[in-house]
Amino acid sequence: MTQAARPVVLATGGTGGHVFPAEALAGELEARGVAFTLVTDSRGRQWQGALSRRPIHYIRSASPTGSPVKKVLALFSLALGLFDAWRALGRIGPSVVVGFGGYASVPTMVAARLRRLPAMLHEQNAVLGRANRLVLGGAGRVATSFARTRYLDGDARAQLVGNPVREPVRVLRDSPYRPPGEGRVIDLLVFGGSQGAASFGEVVPQAVLSLPQALRSRLRIVQQCRPESIDRVRTSYVRAGVVAEIAPFFTDLPQRMAAAHLVIGRSGASTVAELAAIGRPSILVPYPYAADDHQTANARAFEATGACIVLPHASFTAAALAGHLVSLTEEPERLAAMAGAAHAAGRPDAAARLADVVGEFVSLPLSPSATGVAA
């Protein structure tokens, strides 16, 4: 089998931050006529897009966190996963293995090194993740999402491509931002990740209740909320006279983001990439328990472009948030400037750039596809 005919293996965990860029690269490879396959754990059954149309090779894995007993069991599961991955790569015979992080990617990346296969990584955050650090020694290239990535300073293997976003996000790249006019409705989007954020359900309604009536009457809020908090949050907004739509999950979140004048959210890699791709101003509250505090690193890097305000979790109070809401809504030109900075930081062609790096790394003839978008 020639190098060009051998498939590209995508190895990743099952959480959204790892899923989205892998799906985006898969779509780009499919558009270029390049064979690929996925190696993942049991969570791989959730995959969509191009990945769902290709065979998936499942391996055993687990995250070595929690109690000592759980850690030992996880290490045993990862060892079995290494055996699974070794066999899978032997059957597949890939041209290159691309890892996207998450502990489910570790057995496959280690197996690739043992089989002396070309391997590279994609890092979504401004801090190289723990799983990617474990397998960094076997990577010939590391595609990054931020200009600076902790643990990769000065590493010649690092190459900036950006963090690929989902197609429903990418198509909104050209949606214009119009700051709220004087006395007009202000659309506010609040979300805290796939499970919502308990603190958002407490702090945001309190902040809104403390706003001047003239400002409250202009607000129109869309808020993702934990199921157990929905009734309480909805009641708070009714009492404040604020129009609000509350739900535990929104399937059309990219469209909601595009319609917002201001976004309040966490600063996971996908959230930052989507805010940049669409170009919307935001107040970001990094999740304080993220591994290596990578959400703070993401938020600070985004803040440095002028695209957002970072409100550390320890300072995330109703008074602090209300102060930002008042100052921003009184200066719509500042909101417009933040939106412009976010848009300028976006890399809508990240999937195409990542595919180019894959091709250059192993000399695959990956011709540009029609899906590539100029930055």
Side-chain angles (χ1 to χ4, degrees):
M1 185 183 295
T2 65
Q3 181 81 343
R6 294 161 63 190
V8 174
V9 162
L10 309 179
T12 183
T15 58
H18 306 301
V19 167
F20 296 150
E23 285 182 347
L25 177 59
E28 186 68 26
L29 293 174
E30 183 177 63
R32 300 185 186 200
V34 178
F36 63 88
T37 190
L38 171 69
V39 180
T40 188
D41 62 10
S42 59
R43 293 173 298 174
R45 302 182 196 282
Q46 68 177 298
W47 294 83
Q48 300 176 5
L51 284 173
S52 66
R53 297 190 287 273
R54 298 295 176 99
I56 297 176
H57 299 263
Y58 295 105
I59 64 171
R60 286 164 282 190
S61 78
S63 175
T65 56
S67 68
V69 172
K70 287 184 177 180
K71 289 180 179 178
V72 170
L73 292 174
L75 291 174
F76 180 68
S77 182
L78 287 168
L80 293 175
L82 175 58
F83 175 73
D84 297 337
W86 170 272
R87 293 181 60 189
L89 294 183
R91 292 193 299 269
I92 296 167
S95 59
V96 60
V97 179
V98 184
F100 289 87
Y103 282 106
S105 72
V106 170
T108 305
M109 300 305 294
V110 173
R113 186 172 188 179
L114 293 175
R115 284 191 174 274
R116 299 184 179 181
L117 293 168
M120 60 173 284
L121 298 170
H122 179 269
E123 177 55 54
Q124 298 86 48
N125 293 290
V127 179
L128 190 67
R130 293 178 183 177
N132 276 348
R133 295 205 299 273
L134 285 174
V135 299
L136 181 60
R141 276 297 151 73
V142 185
T144 64
S145 301
F146 291 86
R148 293 193 61 184
T149 304
R150 195 187 307 164
Y151 301 116
L152 284 176
D153 287 342
D155 195 318
R157 294 172 295 176
Q159 189 165 343
L160 177 63
V161 301
N163 191 12
V165 295
R166 298 169 287 168
E167 181 63 14
V169 174
R170 198 176 64 80
V171 298
L172 295 169
R173 173 67 175 172
D174 295 326
S175 56
Y177 179 78
R178 296 184 178 87
E182 185 175 354
R184 303 296 295 273
V185 167
I186 301 169
D187 285 301
L188 183 65
L189 172 64
V190 183
F191 67 97
S194 59
Q195 298 299 316
S199 61
F200 285 19
E202 295 282 347
V203 174
V204 178
Q206 291 175 19
V208 170
L209 280 169
S210 71
L211 294 174
Q213 173 59 34
L215 177 54
R216 286 205 311 266
S217 65
R218 296 172 60 195
L219 291 178
R220 184 165 58 192
I221 299 176
V222 172
Q223 183 165 347
Q224 181 192 38
C225 195
R226 289 178 179 269
E228 63 271 21
S229 302
I230 286 178
D231 289 342
R232 175 178 52 78
V233 172
R234 183 179 289 120
T235 299
S236 296
Y237 289 135
V238 169
R239 188 164 67 247
V242 173
V243 175
E245 182 178 356
I246 315 297
F249 185 75
F250 294 101
T251 58
D252 59 345
L253 193 59
Q255 289 76 18
R256 306 273 186 167
M257 190 180 294
H261 290 116
L262 178 65
V263 175
I264 299 174
R266 294 298 194 191
S267 50
S270 292
T271 296
V272 172
E274 292 176 2
L275 284 167
I278 300 173
R280 293 298 180 264
S282 57
I283 296 174
L284 299 182
V285 186
Y287 179 59
Y289 307 111
D292 299 311
D293 199 21
H294 67 259
Q295 286 207 8
T296 294
N298 295 345
R300 292 301 183 190
F302 201 39
E303 182 185 48
T305 70
C308 70
I309 292 171
V310 178
L311 193 54
H313 191 83
S315 304
F316 183 48
T317 64
L321 179 60
H324 286 301
L325 291 175
V326 169
S327 63
L328 287 172
T329 53
E330 288 180 346
E331 300 180 79
E333 66 279 1
R334 185 181 174 196
L335 285 172
M338 291 170 65
H343 195 269
R347 296 183 181 273
D349 60 345
R353 293 187 185 195
L354 180 56
D356 290 342
V357 172
V358 172
E360 293 164 5
F361 178 46
V362 289
S363 300
L364 282 174
L366 301 190
S367 58
S369 76
T371 63
V373 179

